[in-house]
Amino acid sequence: MTARLAARAGVRQARVMKPLRASDRHRDGAVAALRRGYLDGQLSTETFEARLAIAHSARQAYVLRALVADLRARWQALHAVLDGPRPAVATARTPQTTLLLSRTDRYEITVGRASTCTVVFGSTAVSRHHARFERVGGRWYVTDLASTNGTCVDGVRVERAPVAPAAEIRLGDALVVVG
């Protein structure tokens, strides 16, 4: 239908709209979502780096939306299968164990699913040999032992980091509080 006939018939013809240009706000939001996905263990290091490079060079907003579209859906689907229905109100997570590092005479504590570990977890999200806590010069450090789902100290994914009293450490989906 030509524009003249459409005007006579009172029908508006749809215009082809150009995709929106990516703004700094859109780009910052996508980068923040990718960072959260990486820290939550949803993205591997390689995938995170590749998506981050695309986000920084993206010229259109739809490219940024596509980079983060699967993160929330994949995470929700995985938890729906593993956890069953989620509660309507989010509650604070209860730690599965508290490590009293200041009261032990050990210099090394291994954590994982293996029976040879000092502290054993049953969750499949925790690797067999997930992390090692070690005392060096009176100070405790946690070292990730190349685990699949990573080790986070106070919400930041780490390979090795000092551990302060009252620190929250996430090993896969297990929450550990240091006392």
Side-chain angles (χ1 to χ4, degrees), residues 129-143:
H129 297 280
H130 197 103
R132 177 178 45 242
F133 291 86
E134 50 194 346
R135 188 186 329 203
V136 178
R139 189 159 188 196
W140 283 93
Y141 292 85
V142 63
T143 304

PDB file of all heavy atoms in Angstrom, residues 129-143:
ATOM      1  N   HIS A 129      37.690 -30.590  46.439  1.00  0.00           N
ATOM      2  CA  HIS A 129      38.704 -29.839  47.198  1.00  0.00           C
ATOM      3  C   HIS A 129      38.514 -28.389  46.776  1.00  0.00           C
ATOM      4  O   HIS A 129      39.136 -27.930  45.819  1.00  0.00           O
ATOM      5  CB  HIS A 129      40.123 -30.340  46.879  1.00  0.00           C
ATOM      6  CG  HIS A 129      40.330 -31.756  47.280  1.00  0.00           C
ATOM      7  ND1 HIS A 129      40.593 -32.120  48.577  1.00  0.00           N
ATOM      8  CD2 HIS A 129      40.268 -32.916  46.571  1.00  0.00           C
ATOM      9  CE1 HIS A 129      40.708 -33.434  48.645  1.00  0.00           C
ATOM     10  NE2 HIS A 129      40.504 -33.942  47.436  1.00  0.00           N
ATOM     11  N   HIS A 130      37.658 -27.674  47.477  1.00  0.00           N
ATOM     12  CA  HIS A 130      37.208 -26.353  47.032  1.00  0.00           C
ATOM     13  C   HIS A 130      38.179 -25.235  47.422  1.00  0.00           C
ATOM     14  O   HIS A 130      38.568 -24.436  46.586  1.00  0.00           O
ATOM     15  CB  HIS A 130      35.821 -26.067  47.614  1.00  0.00           C
ATOM     16  CG  HIS A 130      35.113 -24.964  46.908  1.00  0.00           C
ATOM     17  ND1 HIS A 130      34.120 -25.189  46.005  1.00  0.00           N
ATOM     18  CD2 HIS A 130      35.273 -23.627  46.960  1.00  0.00           C
ATOM     19  CE1 HIS A 130      33.682 -24.036  45.521  1.00  0.00           C
ATOM     20  NE2 HIS A 130      34.374 -23.071  46.093  1.00  0.00           N
ATOM     21  N   ALA A 131      38.529 -25.175  48.711  1.00  0.00           N
ATOM     22  CA  ALA A 131      39.372 -24.066  49.185  1.00  0.00           C
ATOM     23  C   ALA A 131      40.237 -24.527  50.348  1.00  0.00           C
ATOM     24  O   ALA A 131      39.954 -25.527  51.000  1.00  0.00           O
ATOM     25  CB  ALA A 131      38.512 -22.886  49.605  1.00  0.00           C
ATOM     26  N   ARG A 132      41.272 -23.727  50.593  1.00  0.00           N
ATOM     27  CA  ARG A 132      42.161 -23.999  51.717  1.00  0.00           C
ATOM     28  C   ARG A 132      42.318 -22.719  52.527  1.00  0.00           C
ATOM     29  O   ARG A 132      42.587 -21.651  51.980  1.00  0.00           O
ATOM     30  CB  ARG A 132      43.530 -24.473  51.213  1.00  0.00           C
ATOM     31  CG  ARG A 132      44.526 -24.699  52.332  1.00  0.00           C
ATOM     32  CD  ARG A 132      45.876 -25.217  51.878  1.00  0.00           C
ATOM     33  NE  ARG A 132      46.399 -24.530  50.708  1.00  0.00           N
ATOM     34  CZ  ARG A 132      46.643 -25.126  49.535  1.00  0.00           C
ATOM     35  NH1 ARG A 132      46.410 -26.412  49.376  1.00  0.00           N
ATOM     36  NH2 ARG A 132      47.129 -24.433  48.537  1.00  0.00           N
ATOM     37  N   PHE A 133      42.129 -22.837  53.820  1.00  0.00           N
ATOM     38  CA  PHE A 133      42.413 -21.741  54.742  1.00  0.00           C
ATOM     39  C   PHE A 133      43.777 -22.028  55.335  1.00  0.00           C
ATOM     40  O   PHE A 133      44.040 -23.144  55.791  1.00  0.00           O
ATOM     41  CB  PHE A 133      41.369 -21.691  55.869  1.00  0.00           C
ATOM     42  CG  PHE A 133      40.006 -21.282  55.408  1.00  0.00           C
ATOM     43  CD1 PHE A 133      39.103 -22.210  54.916  1.00  0.00           C
ATOM     44  CD2 PHE A 133      39.621 -19.948  55.442  1.00  0.00           C
ATOM     45  CE1 PHE A 133      37.848 -21.838  54.487  1.00  0.00           C
ATOM     46  CE2 PHE A 133      38.371 -19.558  55.008  1.00  0.00           C
ATOM     47  CZ  PHE A 133      37.479 -20.513  54.527  1.00  0.00           C
ATOM     48  N   GLU A 134      44.666 -21.039  55.311  1.00  0.00           N
ATOM     49  CA  GLU A 134      45.993 -21.253  55.861  1.00  0.00           C
ATOM     50  C   GLU A 134      46.435 -20.049  56.680  1.00  0.00           C
ATOM     51  O   GLU A 134      46.153 -18.908  56.331  1.00  0.00           O
ATOM     52  CB  GLU A 134      47.005 -21.590  54.761  1.00  0.00           C
ATOM     53  CG  GLU A 134      47.002 -20.664  53.584  1.00  0.00           C
ATOM     54  CD  GLU A 134      47.767 -21.232  52.396  1.00  0.00           C
ATOM     55  OE1 GLU A 134      48.517 -22.200  52.554  1.00  0.00           O
ATOM     56  OE2 GLU A 134      47.611 -20.678  51.308  1.00  0.00           O
ATOM     57  N   ARG A 135      47.116 -20.372  57.771  1.00  0.00           N
ATOM     58  CA  ARG A 135      47.630 -19.329  58.656  1.00  0.00           C
ATOM     59  C   ARG A 135      49.056 -19.014  58.250  1.00  0.00           C
ATOM     60  O   ARG A 135      49.908 -19.896  58.187  1.00  0.00           O
ATOM     61  CB  ARG A 135      47.597 -19.792  60.107  1.00  0.00           C
ATOM     62  CG  ARG A 135      47.946 -18.688  61.068  1.00  0.00           C
ATOM     63  CD  ARG A 135      48.068 -19.135  62.498  1.00  0.00           C
ATOM     64  NE  ARG A 135      47.193 -20.255  62.820  1.00  0.00           N
ATOM     65  CZ  ARG A 135      46.800 -20.541  64.046  1.00  0.00           C
ATOM     66  NH1 ARG A 135      47.186 -19.802  65.044  1.00  0.00           N
ATOM     67  NH2 ARG A 135      46.047 -21.579  64.277  1.00  0.00           N
ATOM     68  N   VAL A 136      49.303 -17.743  57.962  1.00  0.00           N
ATOM     69  CA  VAL A 136      50.647 -17.295  57.579  1.00  0.00           C
ATOM     70  C   VAL A 136      50.977 -16.097  58.468  1.00  0.00           C
ATOM     71  O   VAL A 136      50.359 -15.047  58.360  1.00  0.00           O
ATOM     72  CB  VAL A 136      50.710 -16.884  56.084  1.00  0.00           C
ATOM     73  CG1 VAL A 136      52.090 -16.385  55.730  1.00  0.00           C
ATOM     74  CG2 VAL A 136      50.287 -18.038  55.197  1.00  0.00           C
ATOM     75  N   GLY A 137      51.955 -16.279  59.343  1.00  0.00           N
ATOM     76  CA  GLY A 137      52.383 -15.187  60.224  1.00  0.00           C
ATOM     77  C   GLY A 137      51.261 -14.650  61.103  1.00  0.00           C
ATOM     78  O   GLY A 137      51.146 -13.449  61.289  1.00  0.00           O
ATOM     79  N   GLY A 138      50.410 -15.520  61.598  1.00  0.00           N
ATOM     80  CA  GLY A 138      49.337 -15.091  62.483  1.00  0.00           C
ATOM     81  C   GLY A 138      48.092 -14.568  61.767  1.00  0.00           C
ATOM     82  O   GLY A 138      47.122 -14.198  62.407  1.00  0.00           O
ATOM     83  N   ARG A 139      48.121 -14.525  60.454  1.00  0.00           N
ATOM     84  CA  ARG A 139      46.973 -14.043  59.685  1.00  0.00           C
ATOM     85  C   ARG A 139      46.445 -15.173  58.812  1.00  0.00           C
ATOM     86  O   ARG A 139      47.218 -15.942  58.240  1.00  0.00           O
ATOM     87  CB  ARG A 139      47.401 -12.869  58.819  1.00  0.00           C
ATOM     88  CG  ARG A 139      46.259 -12.178  58.166  1.00  0.00           C
ATOM     89  CD  ARG A 139      46.642 -10.806  57.758  1.00  0.00           C
ATOM     90  NE  ARG A 139      45.438 -10.132  57.308  1.00  0.00           N
ATOM     91  CZ  ARG A 139      45.426  -9.047  56.608  1.00  0.00           C
ATOM     92  NH1 ARG A 139      46.550  -8.471  56.298  1.00  0.00           N
ATOM     93  NH2 ARG A 139      44.296  -8.515  56.224  1.00  0.00           N
ATOM     94  N   TRP A 140      45.115 -15.275  58.676  1.00  0.00           N
ATOM     95  CA  TRP A 140      44.496 -16.326  57.886  1.00  0.00           C
ATOM     96  C   TRP A 140      44.230 -15.856  56.467  1.00  0.00           C
ATOM     97  O   TRP A 140      43.840 -14.715  56.237  1.00  0.00           O
ATOM     98  CB  TRP A 140      43.187 -16.777  58.524  1.00  0.00           C
ATOM     99  CG  TRP A 140      43.412 -17.661  59.705  1.00  0.00           C
ATOM    100  CD1 TRP A 140      43.502 -17.279  61.005  1.00  0.00           C
ATOM    101  CD2 TRP A 140      43.605 -19.071  59.687  1.00  0.00           C
ATOM    102  NE1 TRP A 140      43.735 -18.371  61.803  1.00  0.00           N
ATOM    103  CE2 TRP A 140      43.799 -19.486  61.019  1.00  0.00           C
ATOM    104  CE3 TRP A 140      43.638 -20.033  58.673  1.00  0.00           C
ATOM    105  CZ2 TRP A 140      44.013 -20.820  61.357  1.00  0.00           C
ATOM    106  CZ3 TRP A 140      43.844 -21.357  59.015  1.00  0.00           C
ATOM    107  CH2 TRP A 140      44.030 -21.741  60.353  1.00  0.00           C
ATOM    108  N   TYR A 141      44.429 -16.763  55.511  1.00  0.00           N
ATOM    109  CA  TYR A 141      44.155 -16.522  54.095  1.00  0.00           C
ATOM    110  C   TYR A 141      43.307 -17.667  53.563  1.00  0.00           C
ATOM    111  O   TYR A 141      43.443 -18.808  54.017  1.00  0.00           O
ATOM    112  CB  TYR A 141      45.460 -16.463  53.281  1.00  0.00           C
ATOM    113  CG  TYR A 141      46.305 -15.262  53.588  1.00  0.00           C
ATOM    114  CD1 TYR A 141      47.189 -15.276  54.660  1.00  0.00           C
ATOM    115  CD2 TYR A 141      46.218 -14.118  52.821  1.00  0.00           C
ATOM    116  CE1 TYR A 141      47.964 -14.175  54.955  1.00  0.00           C
ATOM    117  CE2 TYR A 141      47.000 -13.007  53.102  1.00  0.00           C
ATOM    118  CZ  TYR A 141      47.866 -13.040  54.178  1.00  0.00           C
ATOM    119  OH  TYR A 141      48.624 -11.946  54.467  1.00  0.00           O
ATOM    120  N   VAL A 142      42.463 -17.370  52.589  1.00  0.00           N
ATOM    121  CA  VAL A 142      41.715 -18.414  51.894  1.00  0.00           C
ATOM    122  C   VAL A 142      42.237 -18.472  50.459  1.00  0.00           C
ATOM    123  O   VAL A 142      42.477 -17.433  49.834  1.00  0.00           O
ATOM    124  CB  VAL A 142      40.181 -18.180  51.926  1.00  0.00           C
ATOM    125  CG1 VAL A 142      39.784 -16.912  51.198  1.00  0.00           C
ATOM    126  CG2 VAL A 142      39.440 -19.380  51.364  1.00  0.00           C
ATOM    127  N   THR A 143      42.440 -19.687  49.968  1.00  0.00           N
ATOM    128  CA  THR A 143      42.919 -19.905  48.609  1.00  0.00           C
ATOM    129  C   THR A 143      41.933 -20.824  47.901  1.00  0.00           C
ATOM    130  O   THR A 143      41.617 -21.908  48.406  1.00  0.00           O
ATOM    131  CB  THR A 143      44.313 -20.568  48.617  1.00  0.00           C
ATOM    132  OG1 THR A 143      45.200 -19.749  49.380  1.00  0.00           O
ATOM    133  CG2 THR A 143      44.849 -20.730  47.218  1.00  0.00           C
TER     134      THR A 143
END
